[in-house]
Amino acid sequence: MTTLKKGDKAPDFSGFDQDNKFHQLENYAGKKLAVFFYPKADTPGCTAEACDLRDNFERFKANNYELLGVSADSAKAQSKFKDKFKLPFPLLADEDKSVIEAFGVWGPKKFMGREYEGISRTTFVINEDGIIDEVITDVKTKAHAAQILK
């Protein structure tokens, strides 16, 4: 689905998080940024992934990383998800899918034989200069921090 690859310039995205705070790529200059796209807040796989990142948050900070979660959920749903699991990083409420489409993670999916359109669980690791260092498409939800921090 995504055509972005290691070495590409990250899309110049912008959007609002669960608290209506504005985020854009340039806010993260000088830091590594892991942008993780997930299908739906407060579902089993997405919860496992977010909680693994939460549990390793201090390791991310120690390595100059910022984390940013993105889904097409509403700000209200993102806020509930963040509060329920005490997530220490912002969650973009990308209801118009502008960030999702900029990164190319929206498209056909299959679940139990049914095809539908949705978000492919994908993480982009962006370096301090705004260049993509890694694209993780085979996300291990219970051990995702280790995939990023290797």
Side-chain angles (χ1 to χ4, degrees):
M1 222 178 310
T2 183
T3 55
L4 293 172
K5 58 193 179 312
K6 180 179 174 142
D8 287 349
K9 184 160 177 28
D12 191 16
F13 70 87
S14 64
F16 292 91
D17 69 12
Q18 74 289 334
D19 298 323
N20 206 31
K21 183 175 178 237
F22 188 70
H23 295 262
Q24 57 189 10
L25 181 61
E26 67 187 48
N27 298 146
Y28 297 96
K31 292 198 172 276
K32 296 175 199 158
L33 175 63
V35 182
F36 66 100
F37 291 88
Y38 57 96
K40 189 153 179 55
D42 207 5
T43 55
C46 299
T47 299
E49 179 181 11
C51 289
D52 179 59
L53 297 174
R54 175 202 65 203
D55 294 346
N56 289 280
F57 190 65
E58 290 309 314
R59 286 177 57 212
F60 282 106
K61 292 304 249 184
N63 286 285
N64 198 35
Y65 274 93
E66 294 288 336
L67 299 176
L68 186 61
V70 184
S71 77
D73 292 298
S74 68
K76 184 177 178 185
Q78 296 289 47
S79 184
K80 281 181 165 175
F81 185 42
K82 184 176 172 33
D83 292 347
K84 181 176 180 181
F85 295 101
K86 297 179 175 40
L87 304 176
F89 40 79
L91 303 174
L92 289 190
D94 191 27
E95 290 183 274
D96 69 359
K97 301 179 188 71
S98 61
V99 179
I100 292 162
E101 288 171 354
F103 279 86
V105 296
W106 183 264
K109 294 178 67 165
K110 245 189 187 159
F111 182 69
M112 296 177 71
R114 187 175 73 84
E115 278 203 33
Y116 62 97
E117 296 277 305
I119 297 172
S120 278
R121 188 184 308 279
T122 308
T123 297
F124 295 85
V125 180
I126 301 168
N127 71 20
E128 297 87 343
D129 300 316
I131 304 299
I132 296 171
D133 273 350
E134 189 174 8
V135 179
I136 304 169
T137 55
D138 184 23
V139 172
K140 309 280 185 250
T141 58
K142 293 185 173 110
H144 194 38
Q147 286 181 289
I148 299 167
L149 290 169
K150 61 182 182 296

